[in-house]
Amino acid sequence: MAQPGLIRFTYSPKGYRDILRSEAVRRIVLAKAERVADAARPEVPGGWWIRADSYTGRNRAGATVMGVPMRLERKRRILGRAMDAAR
């Protein structure tokens, strides 16, 4: 039995989904992706551009950092090392 003055928490899957798809969450993940892109840019040789983009999917917002050729990523792990900038 709940004590007076306490509010009982009710789980709402739709509420979680709405939060994960919200504009505020999309801005947060985009800011993190831009920090990763900024950290990766000095490591990429000239002629290549790094781009951060965000999207709202069916269940959640997400972000992508692209622009590093796979051969460079395999050899030098440019984006892999830049992931710490997202913290």
Side-chain angles (χ1 to χ4, degrees):
M1 186 162 152
Q3 297 176 359
L6 295 179
I7 299 171
R8 184 174 288 260
F9 173 76
T10 305
Y11 172 74
S12 170
K14 184 183 179 317
Y16 282 122
R17 185 172 177 255
D18 290 345
I19 290 170
L20 289 173
R21 295 185 75 231
S22 71
E23 183 64 27
V25 171
R26 192 180 71 75
R27 282 194 307 267
I28 291 168
V29 295
L30 178 59
K32 290 182 179 219
E34 287 174 346
R35 288 197 304 263
V36 170
D38 290 342
R41 279 188 187 105
E43 302 292 323
V44 178
W48 294 98
W49 51 271
I50 306 292
R51 181 175 175 209
D53 194 14
S54 66
Y55 58 91
T56 302
R58 183 173 164 220
N59 293 317
R60 66 183 59 191
T64 304
V65 178
M66 55 196 135
V68 177
M70 281 306 296
R71 63 183 167 77
L72 282 177
E73 183 61 26
R74 275 193 300 267
K75 185 177 179 181
R76 295 170 42 187
R77 285 195 31 87
I78 295 169
L79 289 176
R81 286 193 324 254
M83 288 301 291
D84 286 337
R87 291 183 186 187

